[in-house]
Amino acid sequence: MADSARVADVSLTHIQSFVAVAEECNVGRAARRLHLTQPPLSRHIQALEDELGARLFERTRGGMRLLPAGEAFLRHARRILAEVDAAVLTVRDVAGNRAGG
Amino acid sequence: MADSARVADVSLTHIQSFVAVAEECNVGRAARRLHLTQPPLSRHIQALEDELGARLFERTRGGMRLLPAGEAFLRHARRILAEVDAAVLTVRDVAGNRAGG
DNA sequence: GCGTCCAATGCTGTTTCGGTATGGCCGACA
DNA sequence: TGTCGGCCATACCGAAACAGCATTGGACGC
């Protein structure tokens, strides 16, 4: 059952939320950027940390600071989002070319 | 707004569903493999096709056959899932090393 | 025509999720 | 020291999403 069982409970939404928070170092600001409010975004981060079984941010007085695990995850997260983006574009390209030509 | 807006409505669940159906060429069988029933899985595929704006499968009498767009997406889909898997493992490794050592 | 196998759809109960309101923490400032 | 302001976390609630059951509809084999 090694498969990709771990993937199951991680969601792209959580990954996007994580990246936004990592870049803003501030949940409220990241929330606005994602057209969301602070509480659900805060929960996204908690859920992600829970799913991964590791703390990704240090909660400081001024906001959120990446922990080593978070920095490691950030690199993967960006790659994942880029990969998804590429997948979408590729499909549209293939389908578009065949449909249009 | 180019960003990764397209990522938004695609979910890892849908991607996993897609891969399972692509490999089984049969929704019911894929559903069982995913510990799901046929109707929701059928809807996953429809939702994914809708989000991507392209048909991924040809519905044949005997089941589901990948269309060119689907084959292209499959390659990306596998990479995405592998990437997520790697991300999870990396985080656990980093956090584990620091926690344990 | 009838039974079979397949995917798609209607419906419903449950779960998930986002938003509002609030709490708790901590530093700045007078 | 007391108040204010910024920050993340939590409680609660209404709405949307989701899975499962039951059923439909299409296509082949007998």
Side-chain angles (χ1 to χ4, degrees):
Chain A
M1 202 146 299
D3 217 34
S4 295
R6 359 176 192 283
V7 172
D9 39 0
V10 177
S11 80
L12 286 180
T13 304
H14 288 173
I15 294 177
Q16 288 180 107
S17 296
F18 166 79
V19 172
V21 171
E23 287 176 357
E24 300 287 346
C25 300
N26 177 306
V27 178
R29 208 154 45 226
R32 190 143 30 226
R33 177 168 134 189
L34 296 169
H35 308 291
L36 222 65
T37 54
Q38 175 258 320
L41 185 48
S42 190
R43 286 188 292 247
H44 286 186
I45 302 302
Q46 291 179 71
L48 186 59
E49 290 180 326
D50 204 49
E51 289 148 8
L52 296 175
R55 213 143 206 68
L56 301 175
F57 291 101
E58 184 192 352
R59 276 73 168 169
T60 74
R61 173 187 56 78
M64 311 279 276
R65 188 198 335 264
L66 277 174
L67 291 173
E71 305 218 34
F73 189 69
L74 180 57
R75 286 188 280 274
H76 284 277
R78 289 198 169 116
R79 194 152 21 181
I80 291 164
L81 295 182
E83 197 61 64
V84 173
D85 213 54
V88 174
L89 291 179
T90 298
V91 166
R92 290 189 180 153
D93 186 46
V94 171
N97 281 345
R98 296 187 63 88
Chain B
M1 202 154 295
D3 217 36
S4 294
R6 359 177 192 284
V7 171
D9 39 358
V10 176
S11 80
L12 286 180
T13 305
H14 289 173
I15 294 177
Q16 289 179 107
S17 295
F18 165 79
V19 172
V21 172
E23 287 176 359
E24 300 288 347
C25 300
N26 178 305
V27 177
R29 206 153 48 225
R32 190 142 32 226
R33 177 168 135 189
L34 295 170
H35 308 292
L36 221 66
T37 54
Q38 177 258 322
L41 186 47
S42 190
R43 285 187 291 247
H44 286 187
I45 303 301
Q46 291 179 72
L48 186 59
E49 290 180 325
D50 203 49
E51 289 149 9
L52 296 175
R55 214 145 205 67
L56 301 174
F57 291 101
E58 184 192 351
R59 276 74 169 169
T60 75
R61 177 189 56 78
M64 310 280 274
R65 188 199 335 265
L66 277 174
L67 292 173
E71 306 219 34
F73 188 70
L74 180 57
R75 286 188 280 275
H76 284 277
R78 289 197 168 116
R79 194 152 23 182
I80 291 165
L81 296 181
E83 197 62 64
V84 172
D85 214 53
V88 174
L89 292 179
T90 298
V91 166
R92 290 188 179 154
D93 186 45
V94 172
N97 281 347
R98 296 186 62 86

